[in-house]
Amino acid sequence: MFIKSEKQLLTFIRFSPIIIIFIIAILINILFYFQNEQNFKKDLEIYKRNYIESNKILTRFQVEKAYKDILRERNNLEKSLEEKLKRRVNEAFSIIENLHKKYPHLKEEELLKIIKESLRAIRFNDKRGYFYIAKPNGMSVLHPIYPHFENTNIANKKDRHGHYIYKEAIEHFKNNDDFLGYLKATKPNENTGKEYDKLTYMKLYKPLDLVIGTGEYKDEYTKNIQNHIIAEHIQNVRYGENGYIFIFDYEGKQLAHVKKDYIGKNRIDLVDSNGFMITQEIINQAKKGSGFINYIGSIMPETGEPAYKTTYIKGVEDWGWAIGSGFYNLDLLKYLELKKDELREINNEALKKTLLISFILTLILITLAFYISKILENFFKKYHEKIAEEIEENRKKDMVLYQQSKMASMGEMLGNIAHQWRQPLSTISTIASGTKIQKELNILEDKEFDKGMELIVTTTKHLSQTIDDFREFFNPNKVAKNLNTLVIYEKATQLISSRLIAKDIELKSSVDETSFITFENELLQSLMNILNNAIDAFENKKMENKIIEFKIKYQKECKMPNCNIIECTQGKEGYITITIQDNAGGISKEYIDKIFDAYFTTKHKSQGTGIGLYMTYEIINKHLNGYINVENEVIKYNEKEYLGAKFTIILPIKIEEEN
């Protein structure tokens, strides 16, 4: 420790706050600077995300709007076509009706010739449209394109797949006066025999039982619709500086683009500088439905050069169209550069204000630190004196407690000595009395005398060894020894063996033999306190089987709660775990948390002081650097279960002595 005297400590108290304030002020300003820079980067990232997200929303909106425009216009144009076909048929219907009224006296055959010739030459829809007439049963009356169909029954005409072409219409006219739907038909200007879907409208003129009809090929009017939609709703769409809508068909043909030179060209093999197949990936995304893709666009309208682009794609599945629009990273970079300058200016102003405030606060804190350090200096002097008094008082209290514990243990030891010596002294007394009587009666034989004297000597040695054992227990010298677990077990049980016999208690043991270094007397005192406590637990209890289990186990890993083995310098060679458990019914729940408190006892005042287990706790934790715990646990004996108190002690194999 760098502080070695009170003078140094007072100097430290006087000047350390000032130094700490300076250091904290510098650290805070550095921290604020870096935090400012970090926030600057975060804000830029937020602006970037917001820009990208808002532009994604905008491009998605534009594409979705174009998609909805397509659907709406397609629907409107389809309805317009239906109305147009109906209008045309109604015109023909009116012509027939007028001719019928004009020539009511003509035979039907002659009237039909006039009607046919009146309608045969009429063309519309860029000369694709014409009128045809038939009977409801399928007999063809007029067909300007295929005259050879006239006066033939087309009811049995089939398409390439073997389906009756006019069956649905013929069945329809049995109960209806008009028909709107699709029929299969070949195109007059083609000789391929290929059949196309044709939107057809037919109306029955009942007076002559004639069906007048016309139609438009689906692909033809679809093409017209597509061209109309591209010209009116796609090609001229612009938003922002570089926003536009483009369209590819699924074959790769460019249908709409801001650069008109691209329109009509097949760009299926279009690839960017990174090898990304632009058109193919656009088509693939369109076939999936909708979504974003990234690539280097072929042209940025503002610069006329390629640029990195994020594009939203949506497919029009039945038309085989891929509609798209996107935004360029150059726009993002310009936007971020603008925001970067704004943020830098704001952050610099905030930093200047923070430095000024920090400087003012530092001056205030230094002034306060001088004042407070002076108060602390005076307070410390008084507090130091108070601490010295308290330490001395606590030391005296600890010595009193330790001596009380020793005296309590001494009383128990004296009781044990009395039990240990009673039988040997009785043996010596009996031999001495018998020898005296035999001597007086003159019947003492040398052999019997020698035998008696030998037994007295043996018994005396046993008594002397008992004295040595008890004297060693009270040895005040505190020196860590290399001990053997079996020796510790034998000494501890020898000291209380007489009490076990007197109380009719069976001791069950299990000991792993190993060596460890610790303070022998302190450990023995702790074990004696626990063993005597276990014996006392059977007091006034009528039990058939009284059991105390005494186990000593070696283990490599530490089982102490909250022990960090990395920092542990004593437990690297392992630990021993000592458990002492009885079957006397355990400790009441209301007392078990207080069992190691000073002066706490459940015994009568005449029988206990309440310092035995307290001193045991202090010795194990503070003197032996170990751990002790007590809990109630079930113990089995002769296939019966008993509840009892279980004390667990964990000690390092090698204890570090205090200097």
Side-chain angles (χ1 to χ4, degrees):
M1 185 67 180
F2 67 94
I3 297 176
K4 298 181 179 180
S5 66
E6 290 184 15
K7 184 177 180 181
Q8 290 179 343
L9 181 59
L10 291 173
T11 302
F12 176 78
I13 291 173
R14 186 179 297 114
F15 294 106
S16 61
I18 301 170
I19 297 171
I20 291 171
I21 289 170
F22 269 117
I23 293 172
I24 291 174
I26 293 170
L27 290 176
I28 288 175
N29 281 285
I30 292 173
L31 180 63
F32 181 82
Y33 173 78
F34 284 109
Q35 185 66 41
N36 200 36
E37 287 298 308
Q38 189 175 6
N39 290 338
F40 174 75
K41 293 177 182 178
K42 285 182 179 179
D43 289 341
L44 277 181
E45 187 62 30
I46 290 171
Y47 279 123
K48 179 180 178 181
R49 287 200 305 267
N50 290 343
Y51 180 87
I52 292 173
E53 189 61 31
S54 62
N55 275 272
K56 280 186 173 182
I57 292 171
L58 178 59
T59 52
R60 185 190 294 117
F61 170 79
Q62 293 293 339
V63 172
E64 293 288 347
K65 180 178 179 298
Y67 178 77
K68 291 177 181 178
D69 288 343
I70 289 171
L71 296 183
R72 184 184 68 254
E73 286 299 308
R74 182 172 68 178
N75 186 52
N76 291 340
L77 290 173
E78 285 178 352
K79 289 182 178 180
S80 175
L81 177 63
E82 292 175 5
E83 294 299 323
K84 187 175 181 180
L85 292 176
K86 289 180 179 180
R87 189 166 59 251
R88 287 292 185 179
V89 170
N90 286 331
E91 289 173 1
F93 190 90
S94 296
I95 292 172
I96 294 172
E97 188 176 37
N98 289 333
L99 290 173
H100 192 194
K101 290 179 180 179
K102 186 176 180 180
Y103 304 106
H105 58 281
L106 294 179
K107 292 182 180 180
E108 183 177 339
E109 185 177 346
E110 294 177 354
L111 181 59
L112 286 178
K113 286 181 181 181
I114 296 172
I115 291 172
K116 287 164 62 176
E117 294 308 316
S118 299
L119 299 179
R120 188 182 297 275
I122 297 176
R123 297 290 185 273
F124 46 89
N125 289 347
D126 296 329
K127 298 184 179 181
R128 296 189 306 275
Y130 56 89
F131 295 114
Y132 57 82
I133 301 174
K135 292 288 186 178
N137 61 3
M139 181 63 69
S140 177
V141 176
L142 169 66
H143 201 298
I145 306 302
Y146 300 114
H148 59 278
F149 284 169
E150 295 178 9
N151 300 317
T152 63
N153 194 317
I154 60 174
N156 296 322
K157 185 175 176 56
K158 298 180 180 179
D159 62 15
R160 290 184 301 173
H161 303 290
H163 301 136
Y164 291 101
I165 298 174
Y166 303 107
K167 183 178 180 180
E168 181 184 352
I170 291 170
E171 290 295 327
H172 184 80
F173 276 107
K174 289 181 179 181
N175 299 308
N176 299 278
D177 294 338
D178 63 352
F179 170 84
L180 179 66
Y182 284 98
L183 298 177
K184 294 290 184 180
T186 58
K187 291 184 178 181
N189 56 351
E190 290 185 4
N191 296 320
T192 60
K194 183 179 178 181
E195 295 170 335
Y196 298 88
D197 287 330
K198 189 173 185 180
L199 182 61
T200 302
Y201 181 69
M202 295 182 287
K203 188 173 182 179
L204 177 63
Y205 182 66
K206 290 183 179 181
L208 295 177
D209 199 25
L210 296 176
V211 175
I212 306 98
T214 189
E216 175 67 290
Y217 293 99
K218 182 178 181 180
D219 62 334
E220 294 289 348
Y221 77 75
T222 297
K223 189 182 300 181
N224 291 335
I225 291 173
Q226 291 173 344
N227 292 335
H228 173 79
I229 289 174
I230 290 173
E232 298 296 328
H233 298 280
I234 302 296
Q235 185 60 37
N236 297 321
V237 172
R238 298 290 183 273
Y239 62 95
E241 293 184 6
N242 296 291
Y244 62 93
I245 305 291
F246 64 82
I247 298 177
F248 284 99
D249 66 17
Y250 284 1
E251 301 299 322
K253 183 180 178 181
Q254 189 86 61
L255 303 179
H257 197 276
V258 68
K259 192 171 182 180
K260 294 182 180 180
D261 293 346
Y262 292 161
I263 298 174
K265 293 181 179 180
N266 191 299
R267 307 180 73 201
I268 191 68
D269 295 325
L270 181 63
V271 61
D272 70 5
S273 58
N274 293 326
F276 185 85
M277 301 299 295
I278 299 175
T279 306
Q280 292 182 22
E281 292 301 324
I282 287 173
I283 293 170
N284 290 338
Q285 183 60 56
K287 288 180 178 180
K288 294 176 185 177
S290 61
F292 285 94
I293 62 172
N294 300 303
Y295 57 89
I296 298 176
S298 59
I299 181 173
M300 182 177 178
E302 184 180 358
T303 63
E305 299 293 332
Y308 188 83
K309 189 175 185 180
T310 298
T311 300
Y312 181 74
I313 305 296
K314 189 173 183 67
V316 183
E317 186 63 30
D318 56 344
W319 280 6
W321 277 11
I323 313 172
S325 184
F327 59 94
Y328 297 89
N329 70 328
L330 291 180
D331 292 334
L332 170 61
L333 294 176
K334 288 194 297 182
Y335 174 78
L336 289 180
E337 197 63 34
L338 178 63
K339 289 299 179 183
K340 185 187 292 185
D341 293 339
E342 292 178 4
L343 285 174
R344 179 63 68 189
E345 185 177 350
I346 293 171
N347 287 346
N348 288 340
E349 286 298 321
L351 185 60
K352 290 177 183 177
K353 291 179 180 178
T354 302
L355 289 173
L356 179 60
I357 293 171
S358 175
F359 178 74
I360 295 171
L361 287 177
T362 301
L363 291 178
I364 294 172
L365 289 173
I366 289 173
T367 305
L368 287 174
F370 273 116
Y371 177 72
I372 293 172
S373 62
K374 192 67 179 177
I375 295 174
L376 287 175
E377 184 178 347
N378 295 331
F379 176 78
F380 176 78
K381 289 179 180 179
K382 295 179 181 179
Y383 190 67
H384 176 72
E385 296 173 357
K386 184 68 175 178
I387 289 175
E389 293 175 1
E390 292 292 333
I391 290 173
E392 182 63 23
E393 186 175 345
N394 287 335
R395 190 184 66 79
K396 290 179 181 179
K397 288 181 180 179
D398 287 343
M399 288 299 298
V400 170
L401 285 174
Y402 189 73
Q403 290 301 321
Q404 287 179 346
S405 175
K406 277 289 187 179
M407 293 302 294
S409 298
M410 185 180 293
E412 292 173 348
M413 292 304 101
L414 290 175
N416 288 337
I417 290 173
H419 282 290
Q420 293 282 71
W421 280 22
R422 186 173 289 112
Q423 181 62 34
L425 288 175
S426 176
T427 300
I428 293 172
S429 176
T430 300
I431 293 171
S433 299
T435 302
K436 181 180 179 182
I437 292 172
Q438 288 178 350
K439 179 70 175 175
E440 290 175 352
L441 296 176
N442 202 23
I443 59 173
L444 179 63
E445 297 181 358
D446 291 342
K447 184 177 180 181
E448 287 296 323
F449 178 78
D450 292 340
K451 183 178 179 181
M453 292 303 102
E454 184 178 351
L455 184 57
I456 288 173
V457 170
T458 301
T459 305
T460 304
K461 286 181 179 180
H462 174 69
L463 293 175
S464 178
Q465 181 62 45
T466 303
I467 292 172
D468 290 340
D469 290 341
F470 284 104
R471 182 175 59 190
E472 181 64 24
F473 175 75
F474 292 106
N475 189 344
N477 295 327
K478 185 180 179 182
V479 179
K481 294 182 179 180
N482 191 346
L483 305 175
N484 185 281
T485 51
L486 287 175
V487 173
I488 285 294
Y489 169 77
E490 291 294 337
K491 285 188 177 183
T493 54
Q494 177 66 26
L495 293 173
I496 52 94
S497 60
S498 59
R499 291 198 70 196
L500 293 173
I501 295 170
K503 300 289 185 179
D504 194 23
I505 298 171
E506 180 180 352
L507 181 67
K508 297 173 68 64
S509 61
S510 173
V511 180
D512 290 346
E513 185 175 4
T514 188
S515 297
F516 66 107
I517 297 175
T518 192
F519 299 114
E520 181 180 13
N521 289 341
E522 277 79 354
L523 178 58
L524 280 174
Q525 181 180 350
S526 300
L527 295 177
M528 288 294 300
N529 285 337
I530 295 172
L531 288 168
N532 282 318
N533 197 70
I535 294 170
D536 292 341
F538 291 105
E539 194 71 32
N540 299 324
K541 291 189 178 180
K542 296 180 180 180
M543 296 176 62
E544 184 177 346
N545 299 309
K546 300 177 182 178
I547 306 298
I548 294 178
E549 280 192 350
F550 192 153
K551 296 181 180 180
I552 303 177
K553 299 291 182 183
Y554 168 79
Q555 59 191 29
K556 184 63 179 175
E557 295 182 357
C558 179
K559 302 296 182 182
M560 297 185 193
N562 304 322
C563 177
N564 188 344
I565 195 66
I566 296 175
E567 299 177 357
C568 185
T569 59
Q570 300 185 107
K572 293 181 178 179
E573 299 176 21
Y575 297 80
I576 61 168
T577 300
I578 303 172
T579 58
I580 299 174
Q581 182 175 5
D582 59 61
N583 66 338
I587 303 169
S588 174
K589 289 183 179 180
E590 61 181 311
Y591 298 142
I592 196 164
D593 292 334
K594 303 176 183 178
I595 202 72
F596 294 119
D597 292 351
Y599 302 111
F600 176 79
T601 179
T602 58
K603 303 174 186 177
H604 190 273
K605 290 184 179 180
S606 62
Q607 295 177 317
T609 63
I611 62 171
L613 290 179
Y614 167 73
M615 288 307 302
T616 299
Y617 183 87
E618 292 291 308
I619 289 169
I620 296 298
N621 282 276
K622 296 182 179 179
H623 296 187
L624 305 185
N625 295 342
Y627 166 80
I628 184 170
N629 180 53
V630 63
E631 58 187 334
N632 291 322
E633 195 169 292
V634 173
I635 183 173
K636 287 187 177 181
Y637 181 75
N638 290 339
E639 298 183 353
K640 289 184 178 180
E641 291 186 348
Y642 301 89
L643 184 66
K646 179 181 179 181
F647 287 83
T648 301
I649 299 173
I650 302 176
L651 300 173
I653 287 292
K654 183 178 180 181
I655 191 172
E656 291 183 348
E657 295 191 55
E658 298 176 356
N659 294 328

